[in-house]
Amino acid sequence: MIEILIFTFIVFLLIGVPVAFALGAASTLAIYFGSHIPLLVVAQKMFQGLNNFSYLAIPLFLLAGALMYEAKLSERLVSMAGRLIGRRPGGLANVATTSSAFFGAISGSAPATTAAVGTVLIPSMKKSSYTAAGSGAVVAASGALGLIIPPSITMVIYGVISGVSIGALFINGIVPGILLTLAICMLNWWRGRKSVDDVNLEASTPSPAERLKNLAALLMPIIIIVGIYSGVFTPTESAAVACVYGLLIGVFLYKSLGLTEIKRAFMSTAATTAVIMFLMVCANVFAFVITTERVPQIFSAWVMSITSDPTMVMLMMLGLLIVVGTFLDNVSALVLLVPTLVAITSAVGIDPMYFGVFTIIALAVGQFTPPVGLNLYIAANIANETVEKISVAVLPFVALYITALLIFVAFPNLLTLFS
Amino acid sequence: MNTKDHPAPSSLRRSLISFCDRVAAICHVIAAIAIGVMLSLVVIQVVFRYVLNTPIGWTQEISVFSLMLAVMAGMAVAVWRAEHFKVSVIADCLPSVIGRVLGFISHLITITFLSVVVWFSYQLALRAMWQVSPTTGIPVGYVQFFLTGGCLVAAFLLTVKTVLRHDTISDQNAVIAEQVS
């Protein structure tokens, strides 16, 4: 059964069948031709995959991010970051990185972060000393922080699939998120150290009331993380509270959310939810086949026969995640790999929580590497530059993320400080 | 709508595409409303539990049912608008004729899978009619019809798309266009 599953899945993927349907069709063929299990199980597993209360957190986090995106918070965050660090070498690039970190904490999505920050900053960067490719690369690489800095939708999906506490993933994502933001800022500074940018993002100094208004948006991730970590809310409830908070500040404080924007946020959330969740539904059938065939155990035994050293296993995982993340979007990579990889890493004594944060960072690299790095395409579109040129300009950032991941392999405590 | 028609479309072709666009738009609205219902129910749950100190169980059940409706209605829309994640590296590198053939095969595989799910989920729903949900007492079979209905609509839309060779902007382009706009 497993041979049919793997062969058909790979063929289906290569000929362009969407990942969700490739998972479902390959599993159906494997069950039909490789076992005596009735096909009714396909529908049964799909229904089970849908019928899960913890899945509610995914659309609600998506909605909270969509509402903040529609509230056009990016302009406020960019001007805030501009005043903080703009007038220094590498200033505009650092404003892009810091704004992405702020916006990532609010939206939880890398493409949304790239689009929101890029639309505001790339034109200014091009007018200053940056090339179109260089500005696109900074924004694309910084946008990936949206996956890492909590609350992150990818972390919610990892938590749902692996059973690891979403709250613990969120709180442990803070340190690597800040470290990566600082590392990207240092790289920006080093690259732009010979010139000071012409930062003119905010003509007048904002009043204290305006500053408080800007900070109100940044309260959203704090409400979510503190709410979950203190045990007051479940992740689903905290996401719902975040949506209500986002609606309230968007409508009454910023006055940038009208009926049109709210409708658009709900429509885009519905579309994204369906794509992500249907993938997870089909992955449930796939998981049934690989569990029946004891694939996680077989792979664990195979890895253990090569090495049982956790550092070596993590290096192997890093290689695999980078390669898979380059060709698959992060949700598909998670649903496909996490059940098996968590079994393997747990067998050698690696904490699934640590592995979760590590996996999210490794998959974030795929967000800005060709051929499927969506951030690249978004940045290229805004910068009006070819994806090829931005792909070359983004290489130092790829190296930086991989170096950071190697550091996290060597010093795993950095990813589990709050465990 | 992110669509581009082939040259000289016949009136039947135009009507079919416009009908499918309308079906997709209705499904999209249903999915968005279901998300709204889900959010309201979770908020009600939070208010009853933390403010009124009276936890209620039915909100959880109905919110999960709303999510199912949102996913299955939205899935059909994503099929019509080619928004599902896929690996297009190989197809993009091939000559357009081979790419079109592979696209056709890919659609056939998807339609077959959807048809299998329609048939077996229908069987499953009929069997589950006697079973009721714990707090609301709704027959589970009705809820299982969301899976059948969503796959049926998706299979229909994809069949029309395949027969008419109606192209939609690829998933990645659609996402980029949406994000950048």
Side-chain angles (χ1 to χ4, degrees):
Chain A
M1 182 152 72
I2 195 68
E3 296 84 358
I4 301 172
L5 180 80
I6 292 172
F7 175 75
T8 50
F9 176 64
I10 292 173
V11 171
F12 290 169
L13 266 194
L14 293 181
I15 63 173
V17 178
V19 184
F21 299 108
L23 283 169
S27 308
T28 307
L29 283 175
I31 292 169
Y32 186 72
F33 290 110
S35 75
H36 297 293
I37 303 168
L39 278 184
L40 200 66
V41 80
V42 174
Q44 204 172 27
K45 290 292 160 191
M46 286 179 78
F47 183 72
Q48 274 176 12
L50 275 170
N51 193 4
N52 188 337
F53 181 71
S54 57
Y55 282 3
L56 291 183
I58 296 170
L60 294 179
F61 274 114
L62 285 168
L63 180 61
L67 286 168
M68 291 291 91
Y69 182 79
E70 291 296 339
K72 298 189 180 54
L73 274 181
S74 47
E75 285 158 37
R76 288 174 181 276
L77 295 175
V78 166
S79 69
M80 209 162 87
R83 280 191 303 277
L84 270 175
I85 51 162
R87 293 184 195 284
R88 288 184 178 84
L92 273 175
N94 280 338
V95 172
T97 304
T98 318
S99 311
S100 299
F102 289 156
F103 196 80
I106 293 163
S107 79
S109 150
T113 304
T114 308
V117 174
T119 317
V120 182
L121 269 177
I122 288 177
S124 312
M125 291 174 84
K126 280 168 73 179
K127 273 188 214 155
S128 187
S129 55
Y130 296 84
T131 60
S135 49
V138 172
V139 170
S142 305
L145 291 169
L147 284 192
I148 301 159
I149 294 180
S152 145
I153 291 152
T154 319
M155 281 183 182
V156 176
I157 296 170
Y158 179 91
V160 168
I161 298 170
S162 66
V164 172
S165 155
I166 294 169
L169 286 167
F170 279 178
I171 199 122
N172 284 297
I174 296 173
V175 171
I178 293 173
L179 289 178
L180 275 163
T181 306
L182 291 174
I184 299 173
C185 283
M186 284 171 71
L187 181 60
N188 291 336
W189 169 81
W190 189 77
R191 282 154 63 100
R193 65 192 181 284
K194 286 179 186 154
S195 61
V196 176
D197 295 338
D198 174 25
V199 180
N200 188 21
L201 297 164
E202 183 79 41
S204 58
T205 311
S207 64
E210 195 62 25
R211 283 184 186 173
L212 274 178
K213 262 187 176 183
N214 292 346
L215 284 175
L218 290 176
L219 264 183
M220 188 201 257
I222 297 170
I223 291 171
I224 294 173
I225 294 166
V226 172
I228 300 175
Y229 204 67
S230 62
V232 175
F233 298 128
T234 63
T236 305
E237 290 168 346
S238 78
V241 171
C243 289
V244 174
Y245 180 76
L247 270 171
L248 290 178
I249 62 168
V251 173
F252 298 110
L253 191 65
Y254 298 142
K255 297 185 172 54
S256 50
L257 272 185
L259 271 180
T260 316
E261 289 79 16
I262 294 172
K263 184 185 156 202
R264 218 164 34 214
F266 273 90
M267 295 295 266
S268 74
T269 302
T272 318
T273 300
V275 171
I276 293 177
M277 297 286 303
F278 192 70
L279 182 59
M280 294 173 76
V281 166
C282 291
N284 209 42
V285 190
F286 189 81
F288 166 75
V289 179
I290 62 168
T291 316
T292 311
E293 290 289 291
R294 304 183 73 249
V295 173
Q297 289 85 341
I298 293 167
F299 270 105
S300 298
W302 179 69
V303 171
M304 296 280 272
S305 71
I306 299 170
T307 178
S308 57
D309 175 24
T311 308
M312 286 307 292
V313 173
M314 282 310 294
L315 289 175
M316 287 164 70
M317 295 297 140
L318 173 59
L320 178 72
L321 289 166
I322 296 285
V323 171
V324 173
T326 305
F327 294 100
L328 276 182
D329 65 275
N330 54 67
V331 180
S332 309
L334 281 177
V335 296
L336 204 62
L337 294 179
V338 165
T340 307
L341 295 192
V342 168
I344 294 172
T345 49
S346 299
V348 292
I350 294 166
D351 179 4
M353 209 289 306
Y354 159 75
F355 183 66
V357 181
F358 184 87
T359 302
I360 295 331
I361 303 170
L363 292 179
V365 180
Q367 204 70 43
F368 57 93
T369 50
V372 294
L374 193 52
N375 286 12
L376 276 186
Y377 291 88
I378 294 170
N381 203 314
I382 301 169
N384 203 13
E385 182 55 278
T386 63
V387 173
E388 288 77 12
K389 282 192 179 162
I390 296 188
S391 302
V392 174
V394 89
L395 286 177
F397 297 97
V398 176
L400 184 137
Y401 270 76
I402 293 176
T403 308
L405 283 161
L406 290 171
I407 293 171
F408 295 142
V409 172
F411 303 100
N413 288 346
L414 285 171
L415 301 188
T416 53
L417 283 177
F418 296 99
S419 291
Chain B
M1 211 61 36
N2 294 325
T3 57
K4 60 174 191 215
D5 295 336
H6 282 260
S10 69
S11 68
L12 175 67
R13 181 189 158 82
R14 265 203 310 271
S15 332
L16 255 177
I17 289 172
S18 140
F19 174 71
C20 289
D21 274 341
R22 239 173 284 160
V23 170
I26 291 168
C27 286
H28 200 166
V29 170
I30 291 173
I33 291 172
I35 297 277
V37 170
M38 201 184 76
L39 170 66
S40 314
L41 290 172
V42 179
V43 171
I44 290 171
Q45 190 174 315
V46 171
V47 170
F48 269 79
R49 185 187 295 174
Y50 297 107
V51 182
L52 305 176
N53 219 8
T54 328
I56 40 173
W58 62 268
T59 48
Q60 185 165 325
E61 215 168 81
I62 303 286
S63 52
V64 174
F65 296 164
S66 303
L67 175 64
M68 289 181 187
L69 178 61
V71 172
M72 294 317 297
M75 181 276 288
V77 182
V79 163
W80 177 245
R81 297 180 188 168
E83 285 173 359
H84 284 283
F85 299 130
K86 67 177 175 184
V87 179
S88 54
V89 191
I90 307 285
D92 290 348
C93 298
L94 294 169
S96 63
V97 179
I98 302 176
R100 272 204 297 274
V101 173
L102 289 184
F104 178 74
I105 298 170
S106 148
H107 282 188
L108 282 189
I109 292 167
T110 307
I111 293 166
T112 312
F113 170 67
L114 285 167
S115 309
V116 170
V117 179
V118 167
W119 176 249
F120 286 102
S121 62
Y122 175 71
Q123 302 288 326
L124 197 68
L126 290 183
R127 287 186 194 191
M129 275 303 178
W130 55 269
Q131 198 184 342
V132 293
S133 64
T135 55
T136 52
I138 296 172
V140 177
Y142 288 127
V143 183
Q144 292 197 342
F145 276 130
F146 291 157
L147 183 61
T148 316
C151 289
L152 187 64
V153 175
F156 167 72
L157 293 176
L158 193 57
T159 307
V160 172
K161 197 170 165 171
T162 311
V163 171
L164 299 183
R165 291 193 292 141
H166 177 65
D167 299 327
T168 42
I169 292 175
S170 73
D171 49 353
Q172 201 162 62
N173 289 343
V175 175
I176 293 165
E178 189 187 317
Q179 296 283 2
V180 174
S181 71

